[in-house]
Amino acid sequence: MKRIFTKFSVLTFLCLLFINAASAQNITVKGTITDGQDKTTIPAVSVVVKGTTLGTQTDANGKYAISVPANGTLVFTYIGYNTQEVPVNNQTTINASLASSSQQLDQVVVVGYGTQRKVDVTGSVASLKGSEISKQASTNPVSALQGKIAGVAITNTGTPGSAPQIRIRGLGTIFGNQAPLYVVDGVWYSDINFLNPGDIENMSVLKDASAQSIYGIRAANGVVLITTKKGKLGSATTINYDAYAGFQSVTNKVKMANATEYGTVINELYTQNGQDPLFKDPSALGTGTDWYKQILQDAFVMNHNISIAGGTEKSTYNVSLGYLDQDGIIKTNNFKRYTARVSNDIQIFKDLKVGYNVTGVASQSRDIPQSIFHEMYSASPTVSVFNPDGTYGDPNLQNLGDGTKFNPQATLDYFNQQTKDYRVTGNIYAELKFAKHFTFRTSVGGEFGQMENRKYNPVYFATTAQKNDVSLLDLKRVETRNWIVENTLTYQNTFNEDHSLTVLLGQSAQSNKAYTINASAQNVPFNSDADLYLSLGDAATRSILDQGSLIKFASYFGRVNYAFKNKYLLNASIRADGASQFYGNETWGYFPSIGAGWVVTNEDFMKDQTVFSSLKIRGSWGKVGNASVPINPSQLTVSQTGQLIAFFNGLPSTGASIDMVVPPAIVWEKGIGSNIGFEAAFLKNRLTVEGEYYTRKTSRAIFAIPALMSLGTVTNNLIGNQADLQNSGVELSAAWSDVTGGGLTYSIGGNISYNQNKVTSVLSGKTPIYGGSTGLTNGYVANRTIEGSPIGEFFGYKTIGVFQNAADVSNSPAQAGAQPGGFKYADTNGDGKINSQDRVPLGNPNPKYTYGINTSFAYKNFDLALDFQGVAGVDVYNSNLAYRFGNENFTKDFVDNRWHGEGTSNTYPSASIGSSANSAPNSFYVSSGSYFRVRNAQIGYTLPKSILTKWKIQKIRFYANAQNAINLFGYKGFSPEVGPIPVDNAEKILASQTNYLNSGLDANVYPLYATYNFGVNLTF
């Protein structure tokens, strides 16, 4: 009996062993991964066997095949989508549909030096998929962020090829480079003009100091992480071709006075000044010349992108080419860009992967004179473009004065300037996994850039004032040579299923080198553009000036991420950066951060509740730095000017003086910020909400404050670490996505942010720092920066009406230059006279509110996307109105509402608006800069697969797109989207500060335009 039992036991054991072995045997599972909304297939989805390192990716058609244990679990992960786990259960076919939502907690997002599930992130990170970027008609990928992410404000400049201004949670520094740090595939950049929007896979914005501090040295103005597209493992070759063509048309064109109206008002001006009327019979002048119609055009734009991607079981590749041809709305303006990109990843063996990516870009532009917009605004409509004999209409023959001494067509015709830009960027990397939990990655990258600008002023005679007797050739070349080397070691492990730990250690070294050379010569003959050489000019007139900079950085950093039971999260990091432009005890900066999170819905007491699908609360604190200040800011520089006289051997000669006073050393600016936020989802994740409260203080901000004129400096400024700035605000985002029973897939999302900017302390204390002279006459400035107020607030007189007659003037507080038709200013201090002590804050050029609404709809083969965007709580100073030196033209609005006799107006002044008293900065020129626009509207149709199969084509989609087609605002200029005024000489040490103290002044703004285009997306 015992022997029988023993045999039975052995037999049972062997059967169980066989069963277990069979159940553990691998099987091949295949399937297709699709988007939960539009049902399109998703390439490059990560397919991993849970608890192992086994994995693959979906190919270009969203298909995969993998060998897995029959009782295993597959985990599907893709940036921008929810992670999904599916038990195999002996299934050989598993298809998955991934839900896409920018707010859901299971989404995978790109963070500094890696990726994380959004549920594990304790800082403020927002993402935008490449598909959303490519839908926009924007030629620069940064523009595509407008209205998409809370706390990110974008101001477009309009000029083809130019980069938009981006502000992440307000303006945190005003000296040096205010742009965020861009990290593209691990390489650091100051701008991404070289990047083709069609090459972007994902863009993440790090908004708070906790998320940014791992990039401490350059993170003070925010960080934008960009991942470019790559090939797919095991996929067949796929070719994608995307193209669109269309035109750009000026919207909200400012209507100017015609010739008859102009003549009437100019006669009023002459009469008011005690002069005889200039025009005998204004009614005989007719409508005259519409200079906007003459100079502006509907601009053609065309864009082509083609990419070839694929991969084997061991390697992937992606090759793309792009071509952009964009005309400007000024008839001679054009920008062309050629891009090429190659990336390749190779799995040398199971634990070692290497790869590289290289991007090349070449662009060229035919530039326009910066003065052309002011000239179109100011030119007299009584002047013809051309005379009957073909010569240019000459305003000087009408005695119009210096204010209108130009014929804009002549200015444009004789302007000859072109800019060429060449850049090669990229990196190579190697990634080694060892000892099960460790990953070592090394990366070497950089950029090689060269910008060439050539301007030629020929000998010509167009009008009495527009002529040149000596030709001048100016050449400028800027070379950029940057490299970066980074090494990271990552340890990742899970203990007892409750404790998850990731430790990152890293080292980085960088070098940024720039070299600029300016050269010129006179009397260079012109036969063609190919013959413009300095050697052909007069040797005695040749000049050359060069300058450069070399900054080197050394950095060490580390980060720890810990999670307990997926409930309690902790993130801590520190970075040490050394920068060569600082010295002494301030060569190194140290940037720590800490963040914590609580996933409330993972608590036991939340299991039975039905309100929240998920809820997380998080908070963080961190410190970041700003090394993007001019090289050697503590070095004294000297300038020679004609106003300075020196005596040598008793004879006067041109003198020189120190530009500004600087301290012995300038130290790091540091940004210290805290953030509290929550993320929640309701109704089975269909509704998601995210909120933030943040505060960020810039400590020891580099600032130039007024110095005593007796010091004898050119600028009368003292530069140093002498100000503290603060931005604080609230952000709220919400999104709803669902699929109806009838098959309509849709999503509706919105975001709104509030930011308050102010100077909390400055070395000058209550002594104001004035700026903002662009477009202002008589030496006036319109911006003021002072402790307790926002940077660059508008400052001037408050208008309370218009003087109607002499008695009104005599019965009002004493005001210099007051006369009927002039502005009546408020006596704010009650001393019975109007002077500079009566000036008050008039407005804020820093927007308080930015918001966006983004929608998408898909039904069968049709899709529709509508995006709305706006700004509120911001002011604009219309410098154009009083930018007058003579007989400049007037707007139709001014002509219709001007004061031209007692009782005709109590808000608009007389034609003498450019006089000393009326042109003083005052509330009349300040308007709300709030606006609401339909940022983008796109409708598309995808041909049915039944048709495409016959042609062996995977996808053909046609679409029509309109960008900025509808704009609603009360401002009476071209556009309320007014950013800093461009600074021509960017090398000047005060250029950036002067630039941002001019914020919000509209004196020469590129007109707003809408883009209409038709395009096709083709995959085969």
Side-chain angles (χ1 to χ4, degrees), residues 66-83:
I66 187 173
S67 177
V68 299
N71 60 348
T73 299
L74 291 180
V75 181
F76 302 99
T77 306
Y78 189 69
I79 293 174
Y81 290 82
N82 292 340
T83 297

Short mmCIF file of all heavy atoms in Angstrom, two decimals, residues 66-83:
data_model
loop_
_atom_site.label_atom_id
_atom_site.label_comp_id
_atom_site.label_asym_id
_atom_site.label_seq_id
_atom_site.Cartn_x
_atom_site.Cartn_y
_atom_site.Cartn_z
N ILE A 66 5.10 39.47 -30.22
CA ILE A 66 6.03 39.27 -29.12
C ILE A 66 5.83 37.88 -28.53
O ILE A 66 4.71 37.36 -28.49
CB ILE A 66 5.83 40.35 -28.02
CG1 ILE A 66 6.92 40.24 -26.94
CG2 ILE A 66 4.44 40.30 -27.43
CD1 ILE A 66 6.88 41.39 -25.93
N SER A 67 6.92 37.30 -28.10
CA SER A 67 6.87 35.99 -27.44
C SER A 67 6.77 36.22 -25.93
O SER A 67 7.65 36.86 -25.34
CB SER A 67 8.13 35.19 -27.78
OG SER A 67 8.12 33.95 -27.11
N VAL A 68 5.70 35.69 -25.31
CA VAL A 68 5.44 35.95 -23.90
C VAL A 68 4.99 34.67 -23.21
O VAL A 68 4.49 33.73 -23.86
CB VAL A 68 4.35 37.03 -23.73
CG1 VAL A 68 4.77 38.33 -24.37
CG2 VAL A 68 3.02 36.55 -24.31
N PRO A 69 5.14 34.61 -21.87
CA PRO A 69 4.56 33.48 -21.13
C PRO A 69 3.05 33.48 -21.28
O PRO A 69 2.40 34.53 -21.28
CB PRO A 69 4.98 33.76 -19.69
CG PRO A 69 6.18 34.66 -19.80
CD PRO A 69 5.93 35.50 -21.00
N ALA A 70 2.49 32.30 -21.40
CA ALA A 70 1.04 32.19 -21.61
C ALA A 70 0.24 32.77 -20.46
O ALA A 70 -0.92 33.16 -20.63
CB ALA A 70 0.66 30.73 -21.84
N ASN A 71 0.85 32.84 -19.27
CA ASN A 71 0.15 33.39 -18.11
C ASN A 71 0.68 34.77 -17.73
O ASN A 71 0.47 35.25 -16.63
CB ASN A 71 0.27 32.45 -16.91
CG ASN A 71 1.74 32.23 -16.52
OD1 ASN A 71 2.64 32.61 -17.25
ND2 ASN A 71 1.95 31.60 -15.37
N GLY A 72 1.39 35.42 -18.66
CA GLY A 72 1.97 36.72 -18.38
C GLY A 72 0.97 37.86 -18.57
O GLY A 72 -0.22 37.65 -18.86
N THR A 73 1.49 39.08 -18.43
CA THR A 73 0.68 40.30 -18.60
C THR A 73 1.44 41.28 -19.49
O THR A 73 2.63 41.53 -19.28
CB THR A 73 0.38 40.97 -17.25
OG1 THR A 73 -0.37 40.07 -16.43
CG2 THR A 73 -0.42 42.25 -17.44
N LEU A 74 0.75 41.79 -20.51
CA LEU A 74 1.35 42.78 -21.39
C LEU A 74 1.03 44.19 -20.91
O LEU A 74 -0.11 44.47 -20.53
CB LEU A 74 0.85 42.60 -22.82
CG LEU A 74 1.32 41.33 -23.56
CD1 LEU A 74 0.74 41.30 -24.97
CD2 LEU A 74 2.84 41.28 -23.62
N VAL A 75 2.05 45.06 -20.96
CA VAL A 75 1.88 46.46 -20.57
C VAL A 75 2.13 47.33 -21.80
O VAL A 75 3.21 47.29 -22.39
CB VAL A 75 2.85 46.85 -19.44
CG1 VAL A 75 2.63 48.31 -19.04
CG2 VAL A 75 2.68 45.93 -18.24
N PHE A 76 1.11 48.12 -22.19
CA PHE A 76 1.20 48.98 -23.36
C PHE A 76 1.40 50.42 -22.88
O PHE A 76 0.56 50.96 -22.14
CB PHE A 76 -0.06 48.88 -24.21
CG PHE A 76 -0.35 47.48 -24.68
CD1 PHE A 76 -1.28 46.69 -24.03
CD2 PHE A 76 0.32 46.94 -25.78
CE1 PHE A 76 -1.57 45.40 -24.45
CE2 PHE A 76 0.06 45.65 -26.20
CZ PHE A 76 -0.89 44.88 -25.55
N THR A 77 2.47 51.07 -23.35
CA THR A 77 2.81 52.42 -22.89
C THR A 77 3.17 53.29 -24.08
O THR A 77 3.90 52.87 -24.98
CB THR A 77 4.02 52.38 -21.92
OG1 THR A 77 3.74 51.47 -20.87
CG2 THR A 77 4.28 53.75 -21.35
N TYR A 78 2.64 54.52 -24.06
CA TYR A 78 2.99 55.49 -25.11
C TYR A 78 2.80 56.89 -24.56
O TYR A 78 1.83 57.15 -23.84
CB TYR A 78 2.12 55.29 -26.35
CG TYR A 78 2.59 56.11 -27.54
CD1 TYR A 78 3.78 55.80 -28.18
CD2 TYR A 78 1.83 57.18 -28.01
CE1 TYR A 78 4.21 56.53 -29.28
CE2 TYR A 78 2.26 57.91 -29.11
CZ TYR A 78 3.45 57.59 -29.74
OH TYR A 78 3.87 58.32 -30.81
N ILE A 79 3.73 57.78 -24.90
CA ILE A 79 3.66 59.15 -24.40
C ILE A 79 2.38 59.81 -24.85
O ILE A 79 2.03 59.80 -26.03
CB ILE A 79 4.89 59.95 -24.89
CG1 ILE A 79 6.17 59.41 -24.26
CG2 ILE A 79 4.74 61.43 -24.56
CD1 ILE A 79 7.43 60.04 -24.79
N GLY A 80 1.65 60.37 -23.91
CA GLY A 80 0.40 61.06 -24.22
C GLY A 80 -0.83 60.19 -24.09
O GLY A 80 -1.94 60.67 -24.32
N TYR A 81 -0.64 58.90 -23.71
CA TYR A 81 -1.76 57.98 -23.58
C TYR A 81 -1.70 57.29 -22.22
O TYR A 81 -0.65 57.21 -21.59
CB TYR A 81 -1.74 56.92 -24.70
CG TYR A 81 -2.06 57.46 -26.06
CD1 TYR A 81 -1.07 58.08 -26.82
CD2 TYR A 81 -3.33 57.35 -26.59
CE1 TYR A 81 -1.35 58.57 -28.08
CE2 TYR A 81 -3.63 57.84 -27.85
CZ TYR A 81 -2.63 58.45 -28.60
OH TYR A 81 -2.92 58.94 -29.84
N ASN A 82 -2.84 56.76 -21.81
CA ASN A 82 -2.88 55.99 -20.58
C ASN A 82 -2.14 54.66 -20.76
O ASN A 82 -2.28 53.99 -21.79
CB ASN A 82 -4.33 55.68 -20.18
CG ASN A 82 -5.07 56.93 -19.76
OD1 ASN A 82 -4.46 57.93 -19.43
ND2 ASN A 82 -6.39 56.87 -19.82
N THR A 83 -1.40 54.25 -19.74
CA THR A 83 -0.79 52.92 -19.74
C THR A 83 -1.89 51.87 -19.53
O THR A 83 -2.80 52.05 -18.72
CB THR A 83 0.24 52.82 -18.61
OG1 THR A 83 1.29 53.76 -18.86
CG2 THR A 83 0.82 51.43 -18.52
#
